[in-house]
Each structure stands twice: as C-alpha cells, then as structure tokens.
Amino acid sequence: MNERDLRHVLDVLNVFCDADGRHGNPLGVVRDARGYPDEASRQKLTNELGFSETVFVDDPERGAVDIHTPGQRLPFAGHPLVGAAWLLDLAELHVPAGPVWARGDGEFTWITARAEWVPPRLLQRYATPAEVDALPAPPPGEGWLYAWAWEDEAAGRVRARGFPRRGGPIVEDEATGGAALQLTDLLGRALNITQGRGSQILTAPGPDGTVEIGGRVRLASPAAVPARGIAGPAPVPARRLSVADALRLMS
C-alpha cells in the first residue's frame, strides 16, 4: 500500500444480519473516494479486499456512489446500497441504474429498486430447504444461480443460497439483495429470506413495479474481515479500520 492509500479510511459493514446481529454479507465502503479517482484504482482495491462488493462514495451529500465487484463495475447492487444508505443516512442514493430511495425504521434499512436493474440470474426452486443446504459450493454449471425453497410458503419464508459461478474469487454470496428483488418480483409477494449461513433479507413488492428490500446493518470489527474471496459471518463489535489494516488482516 502507498501513502495515499494509508490516508483513506474504510468502513466495513455486515449487511442483512440476523436478529442477533450475526452473519450478513461483508461490504467495504470508502467514504472519501478521491484517492481512487478512476476505475482501474477502484478495481485494484476491490480485488485486494476480496469482498463481494466495495462501494466508493463520490458525493456523500447527494448520495452518489460507485459499486464494484471483483472484475467489474455494477450499475446497481442490493446489499451495497442497503449498507451505504445505513452508513450515509440519506433518503436517496444515485447509481447508474437510477435513483434509489432509502428509509430506515429503526431496526431495518430499506431501499426501493426495480427488478430490471439486476442482471439476469437463474432462480432455481428446490423442493425442500434441505436440498438447498446440501448443494456444493458452487454447484455444477455456469451463470449466476439463486437456489431457493419454501420454508413456509403461507408465511412467505424462503431458504436461499447464491452462487456467482463466474470464475472469480467469490464462490458463494452470503446475502444477495438483487436476487431477492428478482424473486420478489417473480412471486409478487413479500418475502422473509434466510440466505447463506443465516443472513436475513426482507422484501415487499410496491404498487408501481418496484420492490423494497430491507435488512439489518452492523459495523464489523477488524476480525470480521474475511479471507480473500470468502463472504462470511462476522461479530458485532465496531471499529473503523484503514485500508492497510484490512489488507494486513487478510494477508
């Protein structure tokens, strides 16, 4: 890391935690993105950190953010925007896909988005949650797979796992807001999704074709930074760490 990088602070969040603050998908947020002015520098940091997504805040007052996953820039992504909305405490965020409305209700942070903003994924239904749990990581095949099954159809409770299957460092995505949005749009009903090791995602379809996605967000401790390319659970204790700290913990 050079001196420029050492001056910048990285917030590490866990997005879509369970009721006890456990699990959730790790997210890196660079609040002051001026030290990473172009796509090449942002991709370099994103790849070094190894989170499924990293957010660069270009304008904290307007809510302009730039989302990167290892290997590409994203016009929209669910869990990064829920995390950024919680951290920045704004009612609106701006990404290339369009304006994203946000709100908090105390325990949960919500964003409103559209299913067409999310790249196509295979939403594959399984007969039981046990079949979803038994899948290898990743399952055979190509293309993004969102495996799901009803835990309680009447109550809208779903068991799910997400597999990018694109040859990158992320084998399994712990909590996937975009896929939850697509599944909600497909089924046309509110869902309570348990994904990965135990992350919780809540959704609700809107009257105008939008979908609201909500979840709990927590600041993560340095010990929560995952090994490179593995999205996993983290404890609740909070501290902001430098980029250098994050990379050292991951080495």
Side-chain angles (χ1 to χ4, degrees):
M1 302 297 295
N2 59 37
E3 292 181 1
R4 180 204 68 186
D5 293 330
L6 293 174
R7 291 197 300 269
H8 292 275
V9 174
L10 176 75
D11 287 297
V12 180
L13 313 180
N14 287 316
V15 183
F16 298 130
C17 300
D18 69 7
D20 296 322
R22 301 173 302 165
H23 308 298
N25 201 352
L27 173 71
V29 181
V30 180
R31 286 209 205 200
D32 184 352
R34 290 174 297 178
Y36 303 89
D38 53 33
E39 187 167 352
S41 62
R42 295 181 181 192
Q43 266 300 307
K44 182 176 185 295
L45 179 63
T46 299
N47 290 329
E48 288 175 339
L49 291 174
F51 297 125
S52 56
E53 281 94 11
T54 297
V55 172
F56 297 84
V57 181
D58 289 315
D59 187 336
E61 294 183 0
R62 182 173 170 268
V65 298
D66 189 28
I67 306 168
H68 285 258
T69 193
Q72 61 182 314
R73 181 173 182 252
L74 301 177
F76 170 85
H79 105 270
L81 290 173
V82 171
W86 178 87
L87 185 67
L88 300 176
D89 192 23
L90 296 174
E92 186 176 2
L93 299 172
H94 293 272
V95 293
V100 175
W101 297 103
R103 67 178 180 90
D105 62 10
E107 184 177 8
F108 296 96
T109 298
W110 300 82
I111 64 167
T112 299
R114 309 191 73 88
E116 58 263 30
W117 292 352
V118 183
R121 291 181 170 93
L122 174 60
L123 308 178
Q124 185 167 332
R125 180 179 174 181
Y126 288 77
T128 66
E131 291 184 19
V132 175
D133 290 337
L135 291 171
E142 298 181 356
W144 229 109
L145 171 67
Y146 195 64
W148 70 280
W150 288 114
E151 286 188 332
D152 184 336
E153 186 171 358
R157 292 175 50 210
V158 169
R159 173 70 177 121
R161 293 172 68 191
F163 305 99
R165 296 195 305 188
R166 56 183 172 226
I170 305 301
V171 176
E172 179 170 356
D173 205 342
E174 172 65 19
T176 314
L181 188 158
Q182 289 177 321
L183 185 62
T184 303
D185 183 66
L186 174 68
L187 299 176
R189 58 178 296 185
L191 301 175
N192 182 342
I193 301 170
T194 300
Q195 186 178 331
R197 296 174 175 92
S199 301
Q200 185 180 24
I201 307 170
L202 302 180
T203 70
D208 56 353
T210 61
V211 174
E212 218 179 13
I213 310 167
R216 302 176 188 87
V217 184
R218 301 287 186 270
L219 276 168
S221 73
V225 178
R228 194 180 309 274
I230 300 174
V236 176
R239 196 194 107 182
R240 188 176 298 172
L241 63 156
S242 70
V243 171
D245 288 337
L247 292 175
R248 185 164 56 250
L249 286 164
M250 294 167 61
S251 63

